[in-house]
mmCIF file with all atom_site columns, all heavy atoms in Angstrom:
data_model
loop_
_atom_site.group_PDB
_atom_site.id
_atom_site.type_symbol
_atom_site.label_atom_id
_atom_site.label_alt_id
_atom_site.label_comp_id
_atom_site.label_asym_id
_atom_site.label_entity_id
_atom_site.label_seq_id
_atom_site.pdbx_PDB_ins_code
_atom_site.Cartn_x
_atom_site.Cartn_y
_atom_site.Cartn_z
_atom_site.occupancy
_atom_site.B_iso_or_equiv
_atom_site.pdbx_formal_charge
_atom_site.auth_seq_id
_atom_site.auth_comp_id
_atom_site.auth_asym_id
_atom_site.auth_atom_id
_atom_site.pdbx_PDB_model_num
ATOM 1   N N   . ASN A 1 353 ? 0.300   17.586  15.014  1.00 0.00 ? 353 ASN A N   1
ATOM 2   C CA  . ASN A 1 353 ? -0.835  18.146  14.240  1.00 0.00 ? 353 ASN A CA  1
ATOM 3   C C   . ASN A 1 353 ? -0.480  18.460  12.769  1.00 0.00 ? 353 ASN A C   1
ATOM 4   O O   . ASN A 1 353 ? -1.390  18.905  12.057  1.00 0.00 ? 353 ASN A O   1
ATOM 5   C CB  . ASN A 1 353 ? -1.365  19.414  14.972  1.00 0.00 ? 353 ASN A CB  1
ATOM 6   C CG  . ASN A 1 353 ? -2.286  19.001  16.109  1.00 0.00 ? 353 ASN A CG  1
ATOM 7   O OD1 . ASN A 1 353 ? -3.255  18.297  15.920  1.00 0.00 ? 353 ASN A OD1 1
ATOM 8   N ND2 . ASN A 1 353 ? -1.956  19.423  17.278  1.00 0.00 ? 353 ASN A ND2 1
ATOM 9   N N   . ILE A 1 357 ? 0.730   13.651  5.497   1.00 0.00 ? 357 ILE A N   1
ATOM 10  C CA  . ILE A 1 357 ? 0.860   13.713  3.959   1.00 0.00 ? 357 ILE A CA  1
ATOM 11  C C   . ILE A 1 357 ? 1.654   14.942  3.571   1.00 0.00 ? 357 ILE A C   1
ATOM 12  O O   . ILE A 1 357 ? 2.447   14.916  2.661   1.00 0.00 ? 357 ILE A O   1
ATOM 13  C CB  . ILE A 1 357 ? -0.518  13.673  3.333   1.00 0.00 ? 357 ILE A CB  1
ATOM 14  C CG1 . ILE A 1 357 ? -0.437  13.438  1.842   1.00 0.00 ? 357 ILE A CG1 1
ATOM 15  C CG2 . ILE A 1 357 ? -1.360  14.815  3.624   1.00 0.00 ? 357 ILE A CG2 1
ATOM 16  C CD1 . ILE A 1 357 ? -0.862  12.096  1.468   1.00 0.00 ? 357 ILE A CD1 1
ATOM 17  N N   . HIS A 1 366 ? 12.135  18.503  -0.581  1.00 0.00 ? 366 HIS A N   1
ATOM 18  C CA  . HIS A 1 366 ? 13.382  19.120  -0.174  1.00 0.00 ? 366 HIS A CA  1
ATOM 19  C C   . HIS A 1 366 ? 14.551  18.174  -0.279  1.00 0.00 ? 366 HIS A C   1
ATOM 20  O O   . HIS A 1 366 ? 15.643  18.577  -0.568  1.00 0.00 ? 366 HIS A O   1
ATOM 21  C CB  . HIS A 1 366 ? 13.254  19.659  1.260   1.00 0.00 ? 366 HIS A CB  1
ATOM 22  C CG  . HIS A 1 366 ? 12.670  21.034  1.293   1.00 0.00 ? 366 HIS A CG  1
ATOM 23  N ND1 . HIS A 1 366 ? 13.404  22.087  1.017   1.00 0.00 ? 366 HIS A ND1 1
ATOM 24  C CD2 . HIS A 1 366 ? 11.449  21.463  1.635   1.00 0.00 ? 366 HIS A CD2 1
ATOM 25  C CE1 . HIS A 1 366 ? 12.657  23.215  1.133   1.00 0.00 ? 366 HIS A CE1 1
ATOM 26  N NE2 . HIS A 1 366 ? 11.492  22.776  1.506   1.00 0.00 ? 366 HIS A NE2 1
ATOM 27  N N   . SER A 1 448 ? 2.969   2.456   1.014   1.00 0.00 ? 448 SER A N   1
ATOM 28  C CA  . SER A 1 448 ? 2.301   1.950   -0.212  1.00 0.00 ? 448 SER A CA  1
ATOM 29  C C   . SER A 1 448 ? 1.299   2.977   -0.667  1.00 0.00 ? 448 SER A C   1
ATOM 30  O O   . SER A 1 448 ? 1.126   3.174   -1.861  1.00 0.00 ? 448 SER A O   1
ATOM 31  C CB  . SER A 1 448 ? 1.632   0.630   0.047   1.00 0.00 ? 448 SER A CB  1
ATOM 32  O OG  . SER A 1 448 ? 0.549   0.732   0.895   1.00 0.00 ? 448 SER A OG  1
ATOM 33  N N   . MET A 1 449 ? 0.640   3.647   0.226   1.00 0.00 ? 449 MET A N   1
ATOM 34  C CA  . MET A 1 449 ? -0.344  4.682   -0.120  1.00 0.00 ? 449 MET A CA  1
ATOM 35  C C   . MET A 1 449 ? 0.325   5.821   -0.844  1.00 0.00 ? 449 MET A C   1
ATOM 36  O O   . MET A 1 449 ? -0.132  6.291   -1.928  1.00 0.00 ? 449 MET A O   1
ATOM 37  C CB  . MET A 1 449 ? -1.069  5.204   1.114   1.00 0.00 ? 449 MET A CB  1
ATOM 38  C CG  . MET A 1 449 ? -2.161  6.188   0.814   1.00 0.00 ? 449 MET A CG  1
ATOM 39  S SD  . MET A 1 449 ? -2.891  6.872   2.282   1.00 0.00 ? 449 MET A SD  1
ATOM 40  C CE  . MET A 1 449 ? -1.762  8.236   2.572   1.00 0.00 ? 449 MET A CE  1
ATOM 41  N N   . TYR A 1 452 ? 1.510   4.776   -4.223  1.00 0.00 ? 452 TYR A N   1
ATOM 42  C CA  . TYR A 1 452 ? 0.419   4.552   -5.092  1.00 0.00 ? 452 TYR A CA  1
ATOM 43  C C   . TYR A 1 452 ? -0.073  5.912   -5.672  1.00 0.00 ? 452 TYR A C   1
ATOM 44  O O   . TYR A 1 452 ? -0.409  6.011   -6.844  1.00 0.00 ? 452 TYR A O   1
ATOM 45  C CB  . TYR A 1 452 ? -0.759  3.827   -4.338  1.00 0.00 ? 452 TYR A CB  1
ATOM 46  C CG  . TYR A 1 452 ? -2.024  3.774   -5.128  1.00 0.00 ? 452 TYR A CG  1
ATOM 47  C CD1 . TYR A 1 452 ? -2.149  2.994   -6.171  1.00 0.00 ? 452 TYR A CD1 1
ATOM 48  C CD2 . TYR A 1 452 ? -3.106  4.665   -4.810  1.00 0.00 ? 452 TYR A CD2 1
ATOM 49  C CE1 . TYR A 1 452 ? -3.304  2.920   -6.917  1.00 0.00 ? 452 TYR A CE1 1
ATOM 50  C CE2 . TYR A 1 452 ? -4.248  4.662   -5.540  1.00 0.00 ? 452 TYR A CE2 1
ATOM 51  C CZ  . TYR A 1 452 ? -4.368  3.778   -6.588  1.00 0.00 ? 452 TYR A CZ  1
ATOM 52  O OH  . TYR A 1 452 ? -5.493  3.826   -7.345  1.00 0.00 ? 452 TYR A OH  1
ATOM 53  N N   . GLY A 1 454 ? 1.603   8.412   -6.116  1.00 0.00 ? 454 GLY A N   1
ATOM 54  C CA  . GLY A 1 454 ? 2.592   9.100   -6.921  1.00 0.00 ? 454 GLY A CA  1
ATOM 55  C C   . GLY A 1 454 ? 3.215   10.253  -6.213  1.00 0.00 ? 454 GLY A C   1
ATOM 56  O O   . GLY A 1 454 ? 3.945   11.009  -6.818  1.00 0.00 ? 454 GLY A O   1
ATOM 57  N N   . LEU A 1 470 ? 0.717   -1.427  -7.343  1.00 0.00 ? 470 LEU A N   1
ATOM 58  C CA  . LEU A 1 470 ? -0.733  -1.261  -7.382  1.00 0.00 ? 470 LEU A CA  1
ATOM 59  C C   . LEU A 1 470 ? -1.075  -0.187  -8.450  1.00 0.00 ? 470 LEU A C   1
ATOM 60  O O   . LEU A 1 470 ? -2.005  -0.469  -9.216  1.00 0.00 ? 470 LEU A O   1
ATOM 61  C CB  . LEU A 1 470 ? -1.242  -0.778  -6.037  1.00 0.00 ? 470 LEU A CB  1
ATOM 62  C CG  . LEU A 1 470 ? -1.117  -1.713  -4.838  1.00 0.00 ? 470 LEU A CG  1
ATOM 63  C CD1 . LEU A 1 470 ? -1.412  -0.990  -3.552  1.00 0.00 ? 470 LEU A CD1 1
ATOM 64  C CD2 . LEU A 1 470 ? -2.156  -2.799  -5.007  1.00 0.00 ? 470 LEU A CD2 1
ATOM 65  N N   . VAL A 1 477 ? -7.221  -3.490  -14.174 1.00 0.00 ? 477 VAL A N   1
ATOM 66  C CA  . VAL A 1 477 ? -8.090  -4.152  -13.263 1.00 0.00 ? 477 VAL A CA  1
ATOM 67  C C   . VAL A 1 477 ? -9.104  -5.027  -13.990 1.00 0.00 ? 477 VAL A C   1
ATOM 68  O O   . VAL A 1 477 ? -9.367  -6.141  -13.527 1.00 0.00 ? 477 VAL A O   1
ATOM 69  C CB  . VAL A 1 477 ? -8.870  -3.153  -12.360 1.00 0.00 ? 477 VAL A CB  1
ATOM 70  C CG1 . VAL A 1 477 ? -9.990  -3.792  -11.575 1.00 0.00 ? 477 VAL A CG1 1
ATOM 71  C CG2 . VAL A 1 477 ? -7.921  -2.398  -11.465 1.00 0.00 ? 477 VAL A CG2 1
ATOM 72  N N   . SER A 1 478 ? -9.623  -4.577  -15.086 1.00 0.00 ? 478 SER A N   1
ATOM 73  C CA  . SER A 1 478 ? -10.664 -5.385  -15.742 1.00 0.00 ? 478 SER A CA  1
ATOM 74  C C   . SER A 1 478 ? -10.053 -6.479  -16.599 1.00 0.00 ? 478 SER A C   1
ATOM 75  O O   . SER A 1 478 ? -10.664 -7.528  -16.657 1.00 0.00 ? 478 SER A O   1
ATOM 76  C CB  . SER A 1 478 ? -11.528 -4.447  -16.619 1.00 0.00 ? 478 SER A CB  1
ATOM 77  O OG  . SER A 1 478 ? -10.710 -3.813  -17.580 1.00 0.00 ? 478 SER A OG  1
ATOM 78  N N   . ILE A 1 491 ? -0.350  -7.310  0.807   1.00 0.00 ? 491 ILE A N   1
ATOM 79  C CA  . ILE A 1 491 ? -0.403  -6.294  1.865   1.00 0.00 ? 491 ILE A CA  1
ATOM 80  C C   . ILE A 1 491 ? -1.546  -6.577  2.796   1.00 0.00 ? 491 ILE A C   1
ATOM 81  O O   . ILE A 1 491 ? -1.466  -6.332  3.969   1.00 0.00 ? 491 ILE A O   1
ATOM 82  C CB  . ILE A 1 491 ? -0.412  -4.902  1.254   1.00 0.00 ? 491 ILE A CB  1
ATOM 83  C CG1 . ILE A 1 491 ? -0.001  -3.913  2.264   1.00 0.00 ? 491 ILE A CG1 1
ATOM 84  C CG2 . ILE A 1 491 ? -1.756  -4.543  0.676   1.00 0.00 ? 491 ILE A CG2 1
ATOM 85  C CD1 . ILE A 1 491 ? 0.380   -2.623  1.803   1.00 0.00 ? 491 ILE A CD1 1
ATOM 86  N N   . GLU A 1 495 ? -1.089  -6.986  6.753   1.00 0.00 ? 495 GLU A N   1
ATOM 87  C CA  . GLU A 1 495 ? -1.746  -6.115  7.699   1.00 0.00 ? 495 GLU A CA  1
ATOM 88  C C   . GLU A 1 495 ? -2.582  -6.923  8.707   1.00 0.00 ? 495 GLU A C   1
ATOM 89  O O   . GLU A 1 495 ? -2.583  -6.641  9.911   1.00 0.00 ? 495 GLU A O   1
ATOM 90  C CB  . GLU A 1 495 ? -2.633  -5.087  6.975   1.00 0.00 ? 495 GLU A CB  1
ATOM 91  C CG  . GLU A 1 495 ? -1.848  -4.174  6.085   1.00 0.00 ? 495 GLU A CG  1
ATOM 92  C CD  . GLU A 1 495 ? -1.073  -3.050  6.800   1.00 0.00 ? 495 GLU A CD  1
ATOM 93  O OE1 . GLU A 1 495 ? -1.585  -2.601  7.769   1.00 0.00 ? 495 GLU A OE1 1
ATOM 94  O OE2 . GLU A 1 495 ? 0.040   -2.717  6.370   1.00 0.00 ? 495 GLU A OE2 1
ATOM 95  N N   . ASN A 1 499 ? -1.893  -7.133  12.700  1.00 0.00 ? 499 ASN A N   1
ATOM 96  C CA  . ASN A 1 499 ? -2.945  -6.787  13.660  1.00 0.00 ? 499 ASN A CA  1
ATOM 97  C C   . ASN A 1 499 ? -3.149  -7.890  14.711  1.00 0.00 ? 499 ASN A C   1
ATOM 98  O O   . ASN A 1 499 ? -3.228  -7.609  15.875  1.00 0.00 ? 499 ASN A O   1
ATOM 99  C CB  . ASN A 1 499 ? -4.242  -6.464  12.994  1.00 0.00 ? 499 ASN A CB  1
ATOM 100 C CG  . ASN A 1 499 ? -4.438  -4.965  12.803  1.00 0.00 ? 499 ASN A CG  1
ATOM 101 O OD1 . ASN A 1 499 ? -3.825  -4.200  13.537  1.00 0.00 ? 499 ASN A OD1 1
ATOM 102 N ND2 . ASN A 1 499 ? -5.247  -4.566  11.873  1.00 0.00 ? 499 ASN A ND2 1
ATOM 103 N N   . ASP A 1 517 ? -10.336 -3.908  22.401  1.00 0.00 ? 517 ASP A N   1
ATOM 104 C CA  . ASP A 1 517 ? -9.922  -3.793  21.017  1.00 0.00 ? 517 ASP A CA  1
ATOM 105 C C   . ASP A 1 517 ? -9.119  -2.507  20.805  1.00 0.00 ? 517 ASP A C   1
ATOM 106 O O   . ASP A 1 517 ? -9.067  -2.007  19.664  1.00 0.00 ? 517 ASP A O   1
ATOM 107 C CB  . ASP A 1 517 ? -11.124 -3.826  20.081  1.00 0.00 ? 517 ASP A CB  1
ATOM 108 C CG  . ASP A 1 517 ? -11.419 -5.286  19.720  1.00 0.00 ? 517 ASP A CG  1
ATOM 109 O OD1 . ASP A 1 517 ? -10.462 -5.955  19.351  1.00 0.00 ? 517 ASP A OD1 1
ATOM 110 O OD2 . ASP A 1 517 ? -12.586 -5.635  19.768  1.00 0.00 ? 517 ASP A OD2 1
ATOM 111 N N   . LEU B 2 26  ? 8.997   26.460  4.348   1.00 0.00 ? 26  LEU B N   1
ATOM 112 C CA  . LEU B 2 26  ? 9.616   25.319  3.677   1.00 0.00 ? 26  LEU B CA  1
ATOM 113 C C   . LEU B 2 26  ? 9.211   25.249  2.204   1.00 0.00 ? 26  LEU B C   1
ATOM 114 O O   . LEU B 2 26  ? 10.032  24.940  1.330   1.00 0.00 ? 26  LEU B O   1
ATOM 115 C CB  . LEU B 2 26  ? 9.150   24.012  4.318   1.00 0.00 ? 26  LEU B CB  1
ATOM 116 C CG  . LEU B 2 26  ? 9.804   23.730  5.616   1.00 0.00 ? 26  LEU B CG  1
ATOM 117 C CD1 . LEU B 2 26  ? 9.210   22.506  6.301   1.00 0.00 ? 26  LEU B CD1 1
ATOM 118 C CD2 . LEU B 2 26  ? 11.284  23.442  5.371   1.00 0.00 ? 26  LEU B CD2 1
ATOM 119 N N   . MET B 2 136 ? -12.280 -7.178  12.251  1.00 0.00 ? 136 MET B N   1
ATOM 120 C CA  . MET B 2 136 ? -10.841 -7.358  12.181  1.00 0.00 ? 136 MET B CA  1
ATOM 121 C C   . MET B 2 136 ? -10.364 -7.358  10.695  1.00 0.00 ? 136 MET B C   1
ATOM 122 O O   . MET B 2 136 ? -9.432  -6.645  10.353  1.00 0.00 ? 136 MET B O   1
ATOM 123 C CB  . MET B 2 136 ? -10.546 -8.689  12.782  1.00 0.00 ? 136 MET B CB  1
ATOM 124 C CG  . MET B 2 136 ? -9.219  -9.246  12.719  1.00 0.00 ? 136 MET B CG  1
ATOM 125 S SD  . MET B 2 136 ? -8.210  -8.397  13.939  1.00 0.00 ? 136 MET B SD  1
ATOM 126 C CE  . MET B 2 136 ? -6.655  -8.371  13.094  1.00 0.00 ? 136 MET B CE  1
ATOM 127 N N   . SER B 2 140 ? -8.224  -4.300  9.091   1.00 0.00 ? 140 SER B N   1
ATOM 128 C CA  . SER B 2 140 ? -6.812  -4.570  8.777   1.00 0.00 ? 140 SER B CA  1
ATOM 129 C C   . SER B 2 140 ? -6.514  -4.408  7.290   1.00 0.00 ? 140 SER B C   1
ATOM 130 O O   . SER B 2 140 ? -5.453  -3.826  6.911   1.00 0.00 ? 140 SER B O   1
ATOM 131 C CB  . SER B 2 140 ? -6.457  -6.007  9.146   1.00 0.00 ? 140 SER B CB  1
ATOM 132 O OG  . SER B 2 140 ? -6.775  -6.202  10.473  1.00 0.00 ? 140 SER B OG  1
ATOM 133 N N   . TYR B 2 144 ? -7.521  0.829   0.164   1.00 0.00 ? 144 TYR B N   1
ATOM 134 C CA  . TYR B 2 144 ? -7.489  0.755   -1.289  1.00 0.00 ? 144 TYR B CA  1
ATOM 135 C C   . TYR B 2 144 ? -7.787  -0.625  -1.805  1.00 0.00 ? 144 TYR B C   1
ATOM 136 O O   . TYR B 2 144 ? -8.276  -0.798  -2.932  1.00 0.00 ? 144 TYR B O   1
ATOM 137 C CB  . TYR B 2 144 ? -6.225  1.326   -1.881  1.00 0.00 ? 144 TYR B CB  1
ATOM 138 C CG  . TYR B 2 144 ? -4.915  0.825   -1.286  1.00 0.00 ? 144 TYR B CG  1
ATOM 139 C CD1 . TYR B 2 144 ? -4.454  -0.473  -1.561  1.00 0.00 ? 144 TYR B CD1 1
ATOM 140 C CD2 . TYR B 2 144 ? -4.170  1.594   -0.382  1.00 0.00 ? 144 TYR B CD2 1
ATOM 141 C CE1 . TYR B 2 144 ? -3.283  -0.939  -1.054  1.00 0.00 ? 144 TYR B CE1 1
ATOM 142 C CE2 . TYR B 2 144 ? -2.985  1.103   0.159   1.00 0.00 ? 144 TYR B CE2 1
ATOM 143 C CZ  . TYR B 2 144 ? -2.607  -0.168  -0.204  1.00 0.00 ? 144 TYR B CZ  1
ATOM 144 O OH  . TYR B 2 144 ? -1.435  -0.638  0.358   1.00 0.00 ? 144 TYR B OH  1
ATOM 145 N N   . TYR B 2 152 ? -13.687 -3.658  -9.004  1.00 0.00 ? 152 TYR B N   1
ATOM 146 C CA  . TYR B 2 152 ? -13.674 -4.830  -9.866  1.00 0.00 ? 152 TYR B CA  1
ATOM 147 C C   . TYR B 2 152 ? -15.012 -5.530  -9.912  1.00 0.00 ? 152 TYR B C   1
ATOM 148 O O   . TYR B 2 152 ? -15.524 -5.834  -11.007 1.00 0.00 ? 152 TYR B O   1
ATOM 149 C CB  . TYR B 2 152 ? -12.590 -5.817  -9.359  1.00 0.00 ? 152 TYR B CB  1
ATOM 150 C CG  . TYR B 2 152 ? -12.427 -7.031  -10.235 1.00 0.00 ? 152 TYR B CG  1
ATOM 151 C CD1 . TYR B 2 152 ? -11.925 -6.869  -11.469 1.00 0.00 ? 152 TYR B CD1 1
ATOM 152 C CD2 . TYR B 2 152 ? -12.775 -8.266  -9.769  1.00 0.00 ? 152 TYR B CD2 1
ATOM 153 C CE1 . TYR B 2 152 ? -11.740 -7.963  -12.334 1.00 0.00 ? 152 TYR B CE1 1
ATOM 154 C CE2 . TYR B 2 152 ? -12.623 -9.369  -10.635 1.00 0.00 ? 152 TYR B CE2 1
ATOM 155 C CZ  . TYR B 2 152 ? -12.102 -9.208  -11.888 1.00 0.00 ? 152 TYR B CZ  1
ATOM 156 O OH  . TYR B 2 152 ? -11.920 -10.304 -12.685 1.00 0.00 ? 152 TYR B OH  1
ATOM 157 N N   . TYR B 2 156 ? -16.732 -3.661  -13.031 1.00 0.00 ? 156 TYR B N   1
ATOM 158 C CA  . TYR B 2 156 ? -16.347 -4.443  -14.186 1.00 0.00 ? 156 TYR B CA  1
ATOM 159 C C   . TYR B 2 156 ? -17.089 -5.772  -14.320 1.00 0.00 ? 156 TYR B C   1
ATOM 160 O O   . TYR B 2 156 ? -17.709 -6.037  -15.384 1.00 0.00 ? 156 TYR B O   1
ATOM 161 C CB  . TYR B 2 156 ? -14.866 -4.762  -14.080 1.00 0.00 ? 156 TYR B CB  1
ATOM 162 C CG  . TYR B 2 156 ? -13.982 -3.598  -14.257 1.00 0.00 ? 156 TYR B CG  1
ATOM 163 C CD1 . TYR B 2 156 ? -13.131 -3.171  -13.229 1.00 0.00 ? 156 TYR B CD1 1
ATOM 164 C CD2 . TYR B 2 156 ? -13.985 -2.854  -15.389 1.00 0.00 ? 156 TYR B CD2 1
ATOM 165 C CE1 . TYR B 2 156 ? -12.335 -2.043  -13.404 1.00 0.00 ? 156 TYR B CE1 1
ATOM 166 C CE2 . TYR B 2 156 ? -13.198 -1.744  -15.572 1.00 0.00 ? 156 TYR B CE2 1
ATOM 167 C CZ  . TYR B 2 156 ? -12.327 -1.383  -14.514 1.00 0.00 ? 156 TYR B CZ  1
ATOM 168 O OH  . TYR B 2 156 ? -11.585 -0.290  -14.691 1.00 0.00 ? 156 TYR B OH  1
ATOM 169 N N   . ARG B 2 202 ? -18.837 -1.789  20.209  1.00 0.00 ? 202 ARG B N   1
ATOM 170 C CA  . ARG B 2 202 ? -18.846 -3.079  20.861  1.00 0.00 ? 202 ARG B CA  1
ATOM 171 C C   . ARG B 2 202 ? -17.993 -3.021  22.161  1.00 0.00 ? 202 ARG B C   1
ATOM 172 O O   . ARG B 2 202 ? -18.445 -3.458  23.240  1.00 0.00 ? 202 ARG B O   1
ATOM 173 C CB  . ARG B 2 202 ? -18.272 -4.161  19.957  1.00 0.00 ? 202 ARG B CB  1
ATOM 174 C CG  . ARG B 2 202 ? -18.202 -5.512  20.662  1.00 0.00 ? 202 ARG B CG  1
ATOM 175 C CD  . ARG B 2 202 ? -17.470 -6.504  19.714  1.00 0.00 ? 202 ARG B CD  1
ATOM 176 N NE  . ARG B 2 202 ? -17.194 -7.734  20.493  1.00 0.00 ? 202 ARG B NE  1
ATOM 177 C CZ  . ARG B 2 202 ? -16.092 -7.847  21.214  1.00 0.00 ? 202 ARG B CZ  1
ATOM 178 N NH1 . ARG B 2 202 ? -15.217 -6.928  21.238  1.00 0.00 ? 202 ARG B NH1 1
ATOM 179 N NH2 . ARG B 2 202 ? -15.901 -9.029  21.863  1.00 0.00 ? 202 ARG B NH2 1
ATOM 180 N N   . LEU B 2 256 ? -7.845  10.695  0.185   1.00 0.00 ? 256 LEU B N   1
ATOM 181 C CA  . LEU B 2 256 ? -6.867  10.738  -0.955  1.00 0.00 ? 256 LEU B CA  1
ATOM 182 C C   . LEU B 2 256 ? -6.948  9.493   -1.782  1.00 0.00 ? 256 LEU B C   1
ATOM 183 O O   . LEU B 2 256 ? -7.152  9.543   -2.975  1.00 0.00 ? 256 LEU B O   1
ATOM 184 C CB  . LEU B 2 256 ? -5.458  10.864  -0.374  1.00 0.00 ? 256 LEU B CB  1
ATOM 185 C CG  . LEU B 2 256 ? -5.053  12.148  0.190   1.00 0.00 ? 256 LEU B CG  1
ATOM 186 C CD1 . LEU B 2 256 ? -3.741  12.037  0.908   1.00 0.00 ? 256 LEU B CD1 1
ATOM 187 C CD2 . LEU B 2 256 ? -4.979  13.269  -0.838  1.00 0.00 ? 256 LEU B CD2 1
ATOM 188 N N   . ILE B 2 257 ? -6.932  8.307   -1.079  1.00 0.00 ? 257 ILE B N   1
ATOM 189 C CA  . ILE B 2 257 ? -6.964  7.074   -1.807  1.00 0.00 ? 257 ILE B CA  1
ATOM 190 C C   . ILE B 2 257 ? -8.204  6.839   -2.600  1.00 0.00 ? 257 ILE B C   1
ATOM 191 O O   . ILE B 2 257 ? -8.176  6.572   -3.828  1.00 0.00 ? 257 ILE B O   1
ATOM 192 C CB  . ILE B 2 257 ? -6.686  5.917   -0.849  1.00 0.00 ? 257 ILE B CB  1
ATOM 193 C CG1 . ILE B 2 257 ? -5.219  5.828   -0.364  1.00 0.00 ? 257 ILE B CG1 1
ATOM 194 C CG2 . ILE B 2 257 ? -7.177  4.607   -1.434  1.00 0.00 ? 257 ILE B CG2 1
ATOM 195 C CD1 . ILE B 2 257 ? -4.363  5.092   -1.383  1.00 0.00 ? 257 ILE B CD1 1
ATOM 196 N N   . VAL B 2 261 ? -8.690  6.343   -6.565  1.00 0.00 ? 261 VAL B N   1
ATOM 197 C CA  . VAL B 2 261 ? -9.101  5.098   -7.242  1.00 0.00 ? 261 VAL B CA  1
ATOM 198 C C   . VAL B 2 261 ? -10.354 5.359   -8.101  1.00 0.00 ? 261 VAL B C   1
ATOM 199 O O   . VAL B 2 261 ? -10.404 4.863   -9.199  1.00 0.00 ? 261 VAL B O   1
ATOM 200 C CB  . VAL B 2 261 ? -9.400  4.000   -6.187  1.00 0.00 ? 261 VAL B CB  1
ATOM 201 C CG1 . VAL B 2 261 ? -10.057 2.802   -6.798  1.00 0.00 ? 261 VAL B CG1 1
ATOM 202 C CG2 . VAL B 2 261 ? -8.161  3.621   -5.459  1.00 0.00 ? 261 VAL B CG2 1
ATOM 203 N N   . PHE B 2 271 ? -5.004  17.859  -4.139  1.00 0.00 ? 271 PHE B N   1
ATOM 204 C CA  . PHE B 2 271 ? -3.749  17.818  -3.376  1.00 0.00 ? 271 PHE B CA  1
ATOM 205 C C   . PHE B 2 271 ? -2.683  16.974  -4.127  1.00 0.00 ? 271 PHE B C   1
ATOM 206 O O   . PHE B 2 271 ? -1.555  17.454  -4.332  1.00 0.00 ? 271 PHE B O   1
ATOM 207 C CB  . PHE B 2 271 ? -3.972  17.186  -1.971  1.00 0.00 ? 271 PHE B CB  1
ATOM 208 C CG  . PHE B 2 271 ? -2.726  17.145  -1.189  1.00 0.00 ? 271 PHE B CG  1
ATOM 209 C CD1 . PHE B 2 271 ? -2.305  18.256  -0.463  1.00 0.00 ? 271 PHE B CD1 1
ATOM 210 C CD2 . PHE B 2 271 ? -2.017  15.998  -1.095  1.00 0.00 ? 271 PHE B CD2 1
ATOM 211 C CE1 . PHE B 2 271 ? -1.127  18.214  0.280   1.00 0.00 ? 271 PHE B CE1 1
ATOM 212 C CE2 . PHE B 2 271 ? -0.822  15.906  -0.344  1.00 0.00 ? 271 PHE B CE2 1
ATOM 213 C CZ  . PHE B 2 271 ? -0.446  17.026  0.349   1.00 0.00 ? 271 PHE B CZ  1
ATOM 214 N N   . ASN B 2 276 ? 2.215   16.661  -7.527  1.00 0.00 ? 276 ASN B N   1
ATOM 215 C CA  . ASN B 2 276 ? 2.849   16.119  -8.695  1.00 0.00 ? 276 ASN B CA  1
ATOM 216 C C   . ASN B 2 276 ? 3.251   17.263  -9.719  1.00 0.00 ? 276 ASN B C   1
ATOM 217 O O   . ASN B 2 276 ? 4.266   17.126  -10.366 1.00 0.00 ? 276 ASN B O   1
ATOM 218 C CB  . ASN B 2 276 ? 1.964   15.109  -9.436  1.00 0.00 ? 276 ASN B CB  1
ATOM 219 C CG  . ASN B 2 276 ? 1.839   13.850  -8.616  1.00 0.00 ? 276 ASN B CG  1
ATOM 220 O OD1 . ASN B 2 276 ? 2.719   13.560  -7.820  1.00 0.00 ? 276 ASN B OD1 1
ATOM 221 N ND2 . ASN B 2 276 ? 0.801   13.111  -8.835  1.00 0.00 ? 276 ASN B ND2 1
ATOM 222 N N   . LEU B 2 295 ? -6.862  19.913  13.479  1.00 0.00 ? 295 LEU B N   1
ATOM 223 C CA  . LEU B 2 295 ? -6.896  20.556  14.763  1.00 0.00 ? 295 LEU B CA  1
ATOM 224 C C   . LEU B 2 295 ? -8.348  20.705  15.251  1.00 0.00 ? 295 LEU B C   1
ATOM 225 O O   . LEU B 2 295 ? -8.608  20.430  16.387  1.00 0.00 ? 295 LEU B O   1
ATOM 226 C CB  . LEU B 2 295 ? -6.287  21.956  14.615  1.00 0.00 ? 295 LEU B CB  1
ATOM 227 C CG  . LEU B 2 295 ? -4.739  21.998  14.571  1.00 0.00 ? 295 LEU B CG  1
ATOM 228 C CD1 . LEU B 2 295 ? -4.300  23.327  14.166  1.00 0.00 ? 295 LEU B CD1 1
ATOM 229 C CD2 . LEU B 2 295 ? -4.186  21.586  15.921  1.00 0.00 ? 295 LEU B CD2 1
#
Side-chain angles (χ1 to χ4, degrees):
Chain A
N353 279 304
I357 190 109
H366 272 284
S448 69
M449 184 185 88
Y452 169 75
L470 293 168
V477 169
S478 61
I491 199 162
E495 298 283 324
N499 259 339
D517 272 314
Chain B
L26 283 173
M136 174 79 210
S140 306
Y144 51 74
Y152 183 67
Y156 291 118
R202 177 186 170 274
L256 289 169
I257 282 276
V261 172
F271 179 81
N276 290 337
L295 284 169

